[in-house]
Amino acid sequence: MLLPQLCWLPLLAGLLPPAPAQKFSALTFLRVDQDKDKDCQLACAGSSQKPLCASDGRTFLSRCEFQRAKCKDPQLEIAYRGNCRDVSRCVAERKYTQEQARKELQQVFIPECNDDGTYSQVQCHSYTGYCWCVTPNGRPVSGTAVAHKTPRCPVSSCDQEQQSALEEARQPKNDNVVIPECAHGGLYKPVQCHPSTGYCWCVLVDTGRPIPGTSTRYEQPKCDNTARAHPTRTRDLYKDRPLQGCPGAKKNEFLTSILDALSTDMVHAVSDPSSGRLSEPDPSHTLEERVVHWYFKLLDKNSSGDIGKKEIKPFKRFLRKKSKPKKCVKKFVEYCDVNNDKSISVPELMGCLGVTKEEGKASAKKRPTPRVNAESTSNRQPRKQG
Protein backbone atom coordinates (compact mmCIF):
# COMPACT_ATOMS: atom_id res chain seq x y z
CA MET A 1 0.00 0.00 0.00
CA LEU A 2 1.49 3.38 -0.94
CA LEU A 3 0.11 6.05 1.35
CA PRO A 4 -0.58 9.27 -0.57
CA GLN A 5 2.08 11.90 -0.04
CA LEU A 6 1.50 15.62 -0.13
CA CYS A 7 4.77 15.99 -2.00
CA TRP A 8 3.30 13.98 -4.89
CA LEU A 9 1.21 16.99 -5.96
CA PRO A 10 3.16 18.75 -8.76
CA LEU A 11 1.96 21.55 -10.95
CA LEU A 12 -0.94 20.74 -13.23
CA ALA A 13 -0.23 23.65 -15.55
CA GLY A 14 2.06 22.50 -18.28
CA LEU A 15 1.78 18.83 -17.32
CA LEU A 16 -1.74 18.12 -18.52
CA PRO A 17 -2.85 19.47 -21.88
CA PRO A 18 -6.42 20.75 -21.98
CA ALA A 19 -7.80 17.48 -23.37
CA PRO A 20 -11.13 16.11 -22.12
CA ALA A 21 -9.52 12.95 -20.71
CA GLN A 22 -5.74 12.95 -20.31
CA LYS A 23 -3.88 9.97 -18.85
CA PHE A 24 -1.40 10.60 -16.07
CA SER A 25 0.61 8.43 -13.74
CA ALA A 26 0.12 8.01 -10.01
CA LEU A 27 2.83 10.61 -9.43
CA THR A 28 1.09 13.24 -11.53
CA PHE A 29 -0.99 14.71 -8.73
CA LEU A 30 -2.40 18.18 -9.12
CA ARG A 31 -1.06 21.12 -7.17
CA VAL A 32 -0.40 24.77 -7.88
CA ASP A 33 2.12 26.30 -5.46
CA GLN A 34 5.82 26.95 -4.98
CA ASP A 35 6.83 23.27 -4.87
CA LYS A 36 9.58 24.07 -7.37
CA ASP A 37 11.79 25.40 -4.59
CA LYS A 38 14.98 23.42 -5.28
CA ASP A 39 16.17 23.63 -1.66
CA CYS A 40 13.23 21.46 -0.58
CA GLN A 41 13.38 18.85 -3.32
CA LEU A 42 15.12 16.05 -1.44
CA ALA A 43 15.24 12.74 -3.31
CA CYS A 44 13.61 10.27 -0.93
CA ALA A 45 13.40 7.24 -3.24
CA GLY A 46 15.09 4.29 -1.58
CA SER A 47 15.17 5.89 1.87
CA SER A 48 14.47 3.68 4.90
CA GLN A 49 10.73 3.27 5.53
CA LYS A 50 10.20 4.23 9.18
CA PRO A 51 6.85 6.05 9.64
CA LEU A 52 6.84 9.26 11.65
CA CYS A 53 3.87 11.20 12.99
CA ALA A 54 4.35 14.94 12.56
CA SER A 55 3.01 17.71 14.76
CA ASP A 56 0.39 18.62 12.13
CA GLY A 57 -1.14 15.12 12.28
CA ARG A 58 0.36 13.85 9.02
CA THR A 59 2.16 10.50 8.72
CA PHE A 60 5.46 10.51 6.79
CA LEU A 61 6.81 7.17 5.61
CA SER A 62 10.45 8.16 6.16
CA ARG A 63 12.60 10.76 7.88
CA CYS A 64 13.60 12.02 4.43
CA GLU A 65 9.99 12.81 3.54
CA PHE A 66 9.56 14.56 6.90
CA GLN A 67 12.67 16.69 6.29
CA ARG A 68 11.40 17.63 2.85
CA ALA A 69 8.12 18.83 4.38
CA LYS A 70 9.92 20.62 7.23
CA CYS A 71 11.97 22.52 4.67
CA LYS A 72 8.73 24.13 3.47
CA ASP A 73 7.24 24.44 6.98
CA PRO A 74 10.02 25.08 9.56
CA GLN A 75 7.52 24.87 12.44
CA LEU A 76 6.86 21.21 11.67
CA GLU A 77 8.14 18.80 14.35
CA ILE A 78 8.13 15.04 14.95
CA ALA A 79 5.38 14.13 17.40
CA TYR A 80 6.30 10.45 17.76
CA ARG A 81 7.54 7.46 15.78
CA GLY A 82 4.97 5.37 13.91
CA ASN A 83 1.73 6.20 12.10
CA CYS A 84 -0.46 8.98 13.43
CA ARG A 85 -3.28 7.42 15.42
CA ASP A 86 -5.94 10.09 15.79
CA VAL A 87 -6.69 11.29 12.26
CA SER A 88 -6.56 9.73 8.81
CA ARG A 89 -4.12 10.77 6.14
CA CYS A 90 -6.81 12.52 4.11
CA VAL A 91 -8.15 14.51 7.08
CA ALA A 92 -4.65 15.56 8.12
CA GLU A 93 -3.70 16.52 4.57
CA ARG A 94 -6.93 18.49 4.12
CA LYS A 95 -6.37 20.40 7.35
CA TYR A 96 -2.75 21.12 6.44
CA THR A 97 -3.49 22.34 2.90
CA GLN A 98 -6.36 24.52 4.15
CA GLU A 99 -3.95 26.21 6.57
CA GLN A 100 -1.38 26.63 3.80
CA ALA A 101 -3.97 28.21 1.51
CA ARG A 102 -5.03 30.69 4.21
CA LYS A 103 -1.50 31.50 5.36
CA GLU A 104 0.32 31.87 2.06
CA LEU A 105 -2.54 32.57 -0.36
CA GLN A 106 -1.33 29.73 -2.55
CA GLN A 107 -3.67 27.98 -4.97
CA VAL A 108 -3.04 24.58 -3.41
CA PHE A 109 -5.01 21.42 -4.05
CA ILE A 110 -7.21 20.64 -1.02
CA PRO A 111 -8.45 17.02 -0.92
CA GLU A 112 -12.02 15.96 -0.13
CA CYS A 113 -12.50 13.22 2.48
CA ASN A 114 -15.25 10.70 3.25
CA ASP A 115 -16.78 10.40 6.71
CA ASP A 116 -14.53 7.40 7.48
CA GLY A 117 -11.38 9.39 6.68
CA THR A 118 -10.68 7.88 3.27
CA TYR A 119 -10.31 10.05 0.16
CA SER A 120 -13.51 10.86 -1.72
CA GLN A 121 -13.72 9.03 -5.02
CA VAL A 122 -13.74 12.26 -7.06
CA GLN A 123 -11.14 14.96 -6.36
CA CYS A 124 -11.13 18.39 -7.99
CA HIS A 125 -8.68 21.26 -8.18
CA SER A 126 -10.72 24.45 -7.95
CA TYR A 127 -7.96 26.61 -9.45
CA THR A 128 -7.38 24.56 -12.60
CA GLY A 129 -10.89 23.16 -13.05
CA TYR A 130 -9.63 19.58 -13.41
CA CYS A 131 -11.28 16.63 -11.62
CA TRP A 132 -10.10 13.04 -11.42
CA CYS A 133 -10.85 9.72 -9.70
CA VAL A 134 -8.81 8.30 -6.82
CA THR A 135 -8.67 5.11 -4.78
CA PRO A 136 -9.64 5.24 -1.05
CA ASN A 137 -5.96 5.89 -0.28
CA GLY A 138 -5.85 8.89 -2.59
CA ARG A 139 -3.99 7.33 -5.50
CA PRO A 140 -5.22 8.84 -8.80
CA VAL A 141 -6.79 6.47 -11.31
CA SER A 142 -4.97 6.70 -14.62
CA GLY A 143 -6.93 8.18 -17.52
CA THR A 144 -9.75 9.74 -15.45
CA ALA A 145 -8.72 13.44 -15.40
CA VAL A 146 -11.24 15.70 -17.12
CA ALA A 147 -11.59 19.49 -17.30
CA HIS A 148 -14.62 21.37 -15.97
CA LYS A 149 -16.80 18.30 -15.42
CA THR A 150 -17.17 15.31 -13.11
CA PRO A 151 -15.40 12.16 -14.27
CA ARG A 152 -17.12 8.79 -14.41
CA CYS A 153 -15.22 6.78 -11.84
CA PRO A 154 -14.88 2.99 -12.01
CA VAL A 155 -15.41 1.03 -8.81
CA SER A 156 -12.33 1.40 -6.65
CA SER A 157 -10.64 -1.90 -5.92
CA CYS A 158 -7.36 -3.44 -4.90
CA ASP A 159 -6.87 -4.76 -8.44
CA GLN A 160 -7.15 -1.23 -9.79
CA GLU A 161 -4.66 0.18 -7.29
CA GLN A 162 -2.33 -2.74 -7.90
CA GLN A 163 -2.30 -2.00 -11.62
CA SER A 164 -1.62 1.68 -10.96
CA ALA A 165 1.26 0.79 -8.60
CA LEU A 166 2.77 -1.59 -11.14
CA GLU A 167 2.71 1.16 -13.77
CA GLU A 168 4.35 3.55 -11.32
CA ALA A 169 7.01 1.00 -10.35
CA ARG A 170 8.06 0.73 -13.99
CA GLN A 171 9.02 4.40 -14.03
CA PRO A 172 12.75 5.24 -13.56
CA LYS A 173 13.97 5.43 -9.93
CA ASN A 174 10.61 4.25 -8.56
CA ASP A 175 11.83 1.17 -6.75
CA ASN A 176 10.22 2.30 -3.49
CA VAL A 177 6.61 1.81 -4.64
CA VAL A 178 4.43 -0.46 -2.49
CA ILE A 179 2.39 -2.84 -4.66
CA PRO A 180 -0.73 -4.07 -2.83
CA GLU A 181 -1.62 -7.76 -2.48
CA CYS A 182 -5.20 -8.45 -3.57
CA ALA A 183 -7.84 -11.02 -2.58
CA HIS A 184 -11.02 -12.08 -4.39
CA GLY A 185 -13.63 -9.52 -5.40
CA GLY A 186 -11.35 -6.47 -5.47
CA LEU A 187 -10.57 -6.71 -1.74
CA TYR A 188 -7.16 -6.30 -0.16
CA LYS A 189 -5.37 -9.08 1.67
CA PRO A 190 -5.37 -8.26 5.39
CA VAL A 191 -1.54 -8.26 5.55
CA GLN A 192 0.40 -5.91 3.28
CA CYS A 193 4.20 -5.73 3.09
CA HIS A 194 6.99 -3.63 1.65
CA PRO A 195 9.58 -6.28 0.67
CA SER A 196 12.53 -3.91 0.29
CA THR A 197 12.19 -2.60 3.87
CA GLY A 198 10.88 -5.73 5.60
CA TYR A 199 7.88 -3.87 7.04
CA CYS A 200 4.39 -5.42 7.10
CA TRP A 201 1.12 -4.02 8.46
CA CYS A 202 -2.60 -4.78 8.69
CA VAL A 203 -5.19 -3.05 6.49
CA LEU A 204 -8.95 -2.75 6.16
CA VAL A 205 -9.77 -5.30 3.49
CA ASP A 206 -12.32 -3.14 1.66
CA THR A 207 -10.27 0.08 1.40
CA GLY A 208 -6.67 -1.04 1.95
CA ARG A 209 -6.29 1.66 4.59
CA PRO A 210 -3.54 0.74 7.10
CA ILE A 211 -4.64 -0.02 10.66
CA PRO A 212 -2.58 2.13 13.08
CA GLY A 213 -0.28 0.31 15.48
CA THR A 214 -0.02 -2.93 13.48
CA SER A 215 3.28 -2.36 11.70
CA THR A 216 5.99 -5.01 12.25
CA ARG A 217 9.38 -5.65 10.70
CA TYR A 218 10.69 -8.99 9.48
CA GLU A 219 7.60 -10.78 10.76
CA GLN A 220 3.94 -11.10 9.82
CA PRO A 221 1.52 -9.12 12.01
CA LYS A 222 -1.64 -10.84 13.26
CA CYS A 223 -4.46 -9.22 11.29
CA ASP A 224 -8.26 -9.53 11.29
CA ASN A 225 -9.18 -10.75 7.80
CA THR A 226 -12.70 -9.28 8.14
CA ALA A 227 -11.72 -5.73 9.21
CA ARG A 228 -13.62 -3.24 7.06
CA ALA A 229 -14.18 0.50 6.95
CA HIS A 230 -17.66 -0.18 5.57
CA PRO A 231 -18.92 -3.44 7.14
CA THR A 232 -21.16 -5.27 4.72
CA ARG A 233 -24.66 -5.93 5.96
CA THR A 234 -24.46 -9.50 4.77
CA ARG A 235 -27.34 -10.74 6.92
CA ASP A 236 -29.76 -8.49 5.02
CA LEU A 237 -28.75 -10.14 1.75
CA TYR A 238 -30.05 -13.48 3.03
CA LYS A 239 -33.28 -12.20 4.57
CA ASP A 240 -35.37 -12.85 1.46
CA ARG A 241 -32.88 -15.11 -0.32
CA PRO A 242 -34.57 -18.46 -1.07
CA LEU A 243 -32.83 -21.74 -0.24
CA GLN A 244 -33.93 -24.20 -2.90
CA GLY A 245 -35.88 -27.13 -1.44
CA CYS A 246 -35.80 -25.63 2.05
CA PRO A 247 -38.61 -23.15 2.69
CA GLY A 248 -39.70 -21.34 5.86
CA ALA A 249 -39.69 -23.45 9.02
CA LYS A 250 -37.47 -26.12 7.45
CA LYS A 251 -34.82 -23.51 6.78
CA ASN A 252 -34.89 -22.34 10.42
CA GLU A 253 -34.66 -25.94 11.64
CA PHE A 254 -31.74 -26.54 9.30
CA LEU A 255 -29.75 -23.48 10.45
CA THR A 256 -30.40 -24.36 14.10
CA SER A 257 -29.11 -27.90 13.58
CA ILE A 258 -25.90 -26.60 11.94
CA LEU A 259 -25.15 -24.14 14.74
CA ASP A 260 -25.94 -26.73 17.42
CA ALA A 261 -23.52 -29.19 15.82
CA LEU A 262 -20.79 -26.59 15.36
CA SER A 263 -21.20 -25.32 18.94
CA THR A 264 -20.79 -28.84 20.30
CA ASP A 265 -17.75 -29.50 18.11
CA MET A 266 -16.10 -26.25 19.23
CA VAL A 267 -16.60 -27.08 22.92
CA HIS A 268 -15.06 -30.52 22.43
CA ALA A 269 -12.12 -28.93 20.59
CA VAL A 270 -11.58 -26.45 23.45
CA SER A 271 -11.62 -29.24 26.05
CA ASP A 272 -9.42 -31.63 24.05
CA PRO A 273 -5.68 -31.13 24.78
CA SER A 274 -4.73 -32.96 21.57
CA SER A 275 -6.44 -30.31 19.42
CA GLY A 276 -3.68 -27.83 20.12
CA ARG A 277 -3.88 -24.32 21.49
CA LEU A 278 -6.82 -22.39 20.07
CA SER A 279 -6.68 -18.65 19.41
CA GLU A 280 -8.21 -16.42 22.04
CA PRO A 281 -11.83 -15.46 21.21
CA ASP A 282 -12.83 -11.85 20.62
CA PRO A 283 -14.66 -10.76 23.83
CA SER A 284 -17.02 -8.60 21.77
CA HIS A 285 -18.29 -11.63 19.83
CA THR A 286 -21.41 -13.53 20.81
CA LEU A 287 -21.19 -17.28 21.29
CA GLU A 288 -22.49 -17.97 17.80
CA GLU A 289 -20.05 -15.48 16.25
CA ARG A 290 -17.21 -17.27 18.02
CA VAL A 291 -18.45 -20.58 16.68
CA VAL A 292 -18.50 -19.29 13.09
CA HIS A 293 -15.04 -17.68 13.38
CA TRP A 294 -13.62 -20.88 14.92
CA TYR A 295 -15.05 -23.10 12.19
CA PHE A 296 -14.06 -20.69 9.41
CA LYS A 297 -10.46 -20.77 10.63
CA LEU A 298 -10.51 -24.59 10.52
CA LEU A 299 -11.68 -24.56 6.91
CA ASP A 300 -9.42 -21.71 5.71
CA LYS A 301 -6.27 -23.86 5.58
CA ASN A 302 -4.24 -21.36 3.55
CA SER A 303 -5.35 -18.33 5.61
CA SER A 304 -6.48 -16.51 2.48
CA GLY A 305 -9.58 -15.02 4.10
CA ASP A 306 -11.87 -17.10 1.87
CA ILE A 307 -12.97 -20.73 1.87
CA GLY A 308 -11.99 -21.82 -1.64
CA LYS A 309 -13.27 -24.65 -3.82
CA LYS A 310 -11.15 -27.37 -2.18
CA GLU A 311 -11.71 -26.02 1.33
CA ILE A 312 -15.49 -26.12 0.85
CA LYS A 313 -15.50 -29.92 0.51
CA PRO A 314 -15.17 -30.59 4.29
CA PHE A 315 -18.00 -28.10 4.86
CA LYS A 316 -20.23 -30.06 2.48
CA ARG A 317 -19.37 -33.32 4.27
CA PHE A 318 -20.16 -31.70 7.61
CA LEU A 319 -23.55 -30.53 6.33
CA ARG A 320 -24.48 -33.99 5.04
CA LYS A 321 -23.44 -35.62 8.31
CA LYS A 322 -24.64 -33.21 11.01
CA SER A 323 -27.61 -31.21 9.70
CA LYS A 324 -31.28 -31.86 9.02
CA PRO A 325 -33.55 -31.86 7.10
CA LYS A 326 -31.29 -33.32 4.42
CA LYS A 327 -33.14 -31.65 1.54
CA CYS A 328 -31.71 -28.32 2.70
CA VAL A 329 -28.11 -29.47 2.24
CA LYS A 330 -27.99 -29.75 -1.54
CA LYS A 331 -27.96 -26.04 -2.48
CA PHE A 332 -26.73 -24.54 0.79
CA VAL A 333 -23.16 -23.74 -0.36
CA GLU A 334 -24.54 -21.91 -3.41
CA TYR A 335 -26.95 -20.12 -1.06
CA CYS A 336 -24.01 -18.92 1.08
CA ASP A 337 -21.98 -17.73 -1.92
CA VAL A 338 -23.98 -14.54 -2.35
CA ASN A 339 -21.48 -12.84 -4.71
CA ASN A 340 -21.07 -16.02 -6.79
CA ASP A 341 -17.25 -16.03 -6.68
CA LYS A 342 -17.02 -19.77 -5.86
CA SER A 343 -15.67 -19.04 -2.37
CA ILE A 344 -17.14 -18.13 1.01
CA SER A 345 -15.98 -15.27 3.23
CA VAL A 346 -16.57 -14.84 6.98
CA PRO A 347 -19.41 -12.32 6.42
CA GLU A 348 -21.04 -14.73 3.95
CA LEU A 349 -20.82 -17.64 6.39
CA MET A 350 -22.21 -15.41 9.15
CA GLY A 351 -25.02 -14.25 6.91
CA CYS A 352 -26.12 -17.60 5.51
CA LEU A 353 -26.14 -19.12 9.02
CA GLY A 354 -28.29 -16.22 10.23
CA VAL A 355 -25.81 -15.04 12.87
CA THR A 356 -25.96 -11.41 13.99
CA LYS A 357 -24.99 -9.77 17.27
CA GLU A 358 -28.58 -9.14 18.27
CA GLU A 359 -29.89 -12.51 17.21
CA GLY A 360 -26.75 -14.27 18.39
CA LYS A 361 -27.17 -13.04 21.97
CA ALA A 362 -30.74 -14.19 22.10
CA SER A 363 -30.34 -17.50 20.30
CA ALA A 364 -27.12 -18.51 21.99
CA LYS A 365 -29.06 -18.99 25.20
CA LYS A 366 -31.13 -21.64 23.52
CA ARG A 367 -28.13 -23.68 22.42
CA PRO A 368 -27.12 -26.79 24.38
CA THR A 369 -23.49 -25.62 24.42
CA PRO A 370 -23.36 -24.44 28.08
CA ARG A 371 -24.56 -27.89 29.19
CA VAL A 372 -21.93 -29.62 27.05
CA ASN A 373 -19.32 -27.24 28.38
CA ALA A 374 -20.29 -28.04 31.94
CA GLU A 375 -19.99 -31.76 31.23
CA SER A 376 -16.56 -31.24 29.68
CA THR A 377 -15.46 -29.20 32.68
CA SER A 378 -16.68 -31.80 35.16
CA ASN A 379 -14.85 -34.48 33.18
CA ARG A 380 -11.59 -32.54 33.55
CA GLN A 381 -11.90 -31.90 37.29
CA PRO A 382 -10.78 -35.37 38.47
CA ARG A 383 -7.59 -35.01 36.35
CA LYS A 384 -6.82 -31.65 37.99
CA GLN A 385 -7.38 -33.04 41.48
CA GLY A 386 -5.33 -36.18 40.77
Side-chain angles (χ1 to χ4, degrees), residues 210-354:
I211 298 175
T214 62
S215 179
T216 59
R217 197 174 193 187
Y218 304 128
E219 63 177 329
Q220 290 269 313
K222 295 180 179 178
C223 304
D224 180 0
N225 59 17
T226 65
R228 290 172 177 260
H230 307 285
T232 52
R233 300 186 63 184
T234 317
R235 178 68 181 91
D236 293 347
L237 300 176
Y238 295 92
K239 186 176 181 181
D240 300 313
R241 184 174 171 83
L243 175 55
Q244 187 176 331
C246 192
K250 287 186 178 181
K251 181 177 173 181
N252 292 334
E253 179 188 354
F254 177 67
L255 297 181
T256 300
S257 70
I258 297 174
L259 287 170
D260 281 344
L262 286 176
S263 299
T264 303
D265 285 359
M266 185 182 76
V267 169
H268 285 311
V270 170
S271 60
D272 183 4
S274 65
S275 63
R277 189 176 185 277
L278 301 178
S279 59
E280 293 295 324
D282 187 327
S284 68
H285 286 168
T286 64
L287 176 60
E288 292 188 340
E289 285 178 304
R290 293 181 187 185
V291 168
V292 174
H293 278 278
W294 166 78
Y295 187 59
F296 185 90
K297 191 172 182 180
L298 284 184
L299 295 174
D300 186 18
K301 299 294 186 183
N302 60 3
S303 301
S304 66
D306 287 291
I307 304 171
K309 190 175 181 180
K310 292 182 179 179
E311 294 167 330
I312 287 176
K313 290 180 179 179
F315 183 41
K316 290 181 176 178
R317 289 196 295 269
F318 175 88
L319 293 174
R320 289 194 294 267
K321 184 177 179 181
K322 299 288 185 75
S323 58
K324 56 181 182 180
K326 299 301 181 184
K327 288 184 178 180
C328 299
V329 174
K330 189 174 182 181
K331 295 293 183 180
F332 187 66
V333 170
E334 290 82 353
Y335 169 79
C336 291
D337 185 15
V338 72
N339 64 357
N340 199 32
D341 65 350
K342 307 302 180 184
S343 63
I344 298 176
S345 64
V346 169
E348 284 179 325
L349 191 59
M350 287 279 190
C352 68
L353 291 176

Side-chain angles (χ1 to χ4, degrees), residues 163-175:
Q163 185 60 36
S164 179
L166 287 169
E167 291 176 4
E168 184 178 336
R170 285 193 286 266
Q171 301 296 320
K173 298 181 180 180
N174 272 5
D175 56 350

Side-chain angles (χ1 to χ4, degrees), residues 127-198:
Y127 182 75
T128 64
Y130 270 86
C131 294
W132 63 99
C133 304
V134 301
T135 66
N137 283 328
R139 184 190 296 278
V141 179
S142 179
T144 61
V146 292
H148 309 297
K149 63 179 180 179
T150 303
R152 292 184 178 181
C153 296
V155 176
S156 296
S157 69
C158 179
D159 300 308
Q160 186 181 80
E161 184 175 349
Q162 185 183 66
Q163 185 60 36
S164 179
L166 287 169
E167 291 176 4
E168 184 178 336
R170 285 193 286 266
Q171 301 296 320
K173 298 181 180 180
N174 272 5
D175 56 350
N176 210 31
V177 176
V178 179
I179 300 173
E181 294 287 330
C182 303
H184 294 297
L187 297 178
Y188 294 79
K189 288 187 177 179
V191 178
Q192 299 289 328
C193 296
H194 194 318
S196 65
T197 65

Side-chain angles (χ1 to χ4, degrees), residues 286-288 356-367:
T286 64
L287 176 60
E288 292 188 340
T356 63
K357 281 190 177 293
E358 294 75 21
E359 292 181 15
K361 289 177 181 176
S363 56
K365 297 177 182 178
K366 301 176 185 178
R367 306 291 177 206

